[in-house]
Amino acid sequence: MTIEGKTSVNSAKTLDAISASHILRPHQHFSHPDEVLASDRMTTEEKRAILASWASDLHAVESCPELRHPPGVPCSMRCRDILAALKSLDRGRQDFTMRRQEPVRKPTGTFG
C-alpha cells in the first residue's frame, strides 16, 4: 500500500539534495560557467552563488590572474567567462524587472 503524497515529499527531498550537492560541490557537476547556466535543477540565486565563488580572487591562478582554478575543477577557466555568465543571469532578472515596470499606457482619444 502506498501512502498518498509520500512520493512527492521524497521527490522534493531528492531535488533538495541534488541542489545542495550542486552548490556544495559544484566541481562534481560543472566544469564551465555555461554548464552552470544551463542547469535546470538550480535557481538563479544558486547559480549566482557558484559563479561568484568561482570568480573570487581566492581561485586566481598566481602566474595568470585572468584565470581561475576552483578546487576540483579539471582545468582553469577565464574570469571573463565567469563574469559573462553572471551578467547573463543579471540580464534575465533585468529583463523581468523592466517588463514589470513598463508604464501602463492610457488609451488615446476622448471619452464622452
Side-chain angles (χ1 to χ4, degrees), residues 8-85:
S8 64
V9 170
N10 286 338
S11 296
K13 287 181 182 179
T14 301
L15 288 176
D16 288 345
I18 291 169
S19 184
S21 174
H22 282 82
I23 293 170
L24 296 173
R25 293 179 293 282
H27 61 277
Q28 292 180 348
H29 306 280
F30 311 109
S31 60
H32 192 273
D34 290 341
E35 292 176 3
V36 176
L37 289 178
S39 174
D40 59 351
R41 294 184 174 187
M42 295 187 304
T43 66
T44 300
E45 291 77 20
E46 291 167 335
K47 292 175 184 182
R48 186 180 316 284
I50 291 170
L51 293 169
S53 74
W54 284 0
S56 167
D57 286 342
L58 178 67
H59 302 302
V61 175
E62 189 173 328
S63 61
C64 189
E66 155 61 12
L67 296 178
R68 299 292 187 267
H69 197 140
V73 176
C75 59
S76 298
M77 58 188 79
R78 297 182 305 185
C79 186
R80 67 175 165 229
D81 291 339
I82 301 168
L83 296 177

Side-chain angles (χ1 to χ4, degrees), residues 91-104:
R91 274 194 303 272
R93 185 173 61 180
Q94 184 181 38
D95 292 345
F96 175 74
T97 303
M98 290 177 72
R99 276 184 269 149
R100 289 184 60 209
Q101 293 179 351
E102 285 181 3
V104 176

